[in-house]
Each structure stands twice: as C-alpha cells, then as structure tokens.
C-alpha cells in the first residue's frame, strides 16, 4: 500500500508526462469532477450521514438534477406551482 506522499508523487509523474492535449482533457475532467462533488463538501454543515445513507442511484439522481438546474434545464418553482394550481384547482 502506498503512502499519501508516494501516491502524490506517482500522480505528479503521470501528469508531468502528458502532452498538452492530454493535459487539457485531464484538466476538464478534474473540473467536472470538482463541480459534481463540490456541493457535498461546500459547507461545514452538510449532513454527510444522510448523503452517505442514500443509494448510489439516489445520489446520481440528485447530482444529475443539480447539473440540469445549473445548465438552465430546470423549471422554476413558481411555474410548477402555477401549473399545479391551474390543473387541480380549476377543475
């Protein structure tokens, strides 16, 4: 088993050996990973016990929903509520 220092050195050497194109791809992947996981660790008051209690499918669903909202694909809550009121209260 490698120590943390050995692992960091190994990763550094692997990154150092990449050409510019590979390095840019790795950078993009790291940014995507950071965006996907940043919300979980963004604040000290995140309840990791509840997050870890979720199934992988539940966590993926939450992360996918966050990504959709960040991409502008969500429906504003006001619009959702207006549609529900129109559909069920004006019957």
């Amino acid at each position: 088993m490698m120590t943390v220092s050995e692992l960091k050195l190994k990763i550094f050497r692997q990154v150092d050996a990449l050409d510019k194109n590979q390095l840019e791809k790795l950078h993009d992947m790291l940014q995507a990973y950071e965006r996907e996981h940043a919300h979980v660790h963004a604040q000290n008051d995140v309840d990791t016990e509840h997050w870890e209690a979720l199934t992988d499918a539940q966590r993926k669903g939450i992360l996918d929903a966050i990504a959709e909202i960040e991409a502008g694909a969500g429906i504003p809550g006001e619009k959702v509520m207006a549609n529900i009121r129109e559909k069920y209260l004006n019957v």
Side-chain angles (χ1 to χ4, degrees):
M1 181 172 216
M2 283 191 264
T3 66
V4 172
S5 296
E6 291 169 331
L7 185 56
K8 286 180 181 181
L9 182 59
K10 180 179 180 178
I11 292 170
F12 172 80
R13 287 181 177 153
Q14 290 172 322
V15 170
D16 193 49
L18 298 176
D19 65 29
K20 185 176 189 283
N21 187 39
Q22 292 170 317
L23 192 57
E24 288 172 346
K25 286 180 183 178
L26 177 62
H27 179 259
D28 293 343
M29 289 171 33
L30 289 171
Q31 282 187 318
Y33 178 85
E34 186 177 61
R35 278 191 306 274
E36 185 174 337
H37 294 88
H39 70 279
V40 177
H41 303 290
Q43 300 174 4
N44 290 335
D45 62 350
V46 172
D47 189 349
T48 57
E49 182 179 321
H50 286 106
W51 178 256
E52 291 171 3
L54 298 173
T55 66
D56 288 342
Q58 289 170 322
R59 281 186 237 157
K60 183 181 182 319
I62 291 169
L63 295 173
D64 288 348
I66 291 169
E68 286 180 17
I69 290 169
E70 289 175 349
I75 301 172
E78 298 83 15
K79 185 173 181 179
V80 171
M81 292 306 295
N83 290 344
I84 290 172
R85 285 185 191 101
E86 182 179 329
K87 183 174 181 177
Y88 293 106
L89 297 178
N90 295 328
V91 176

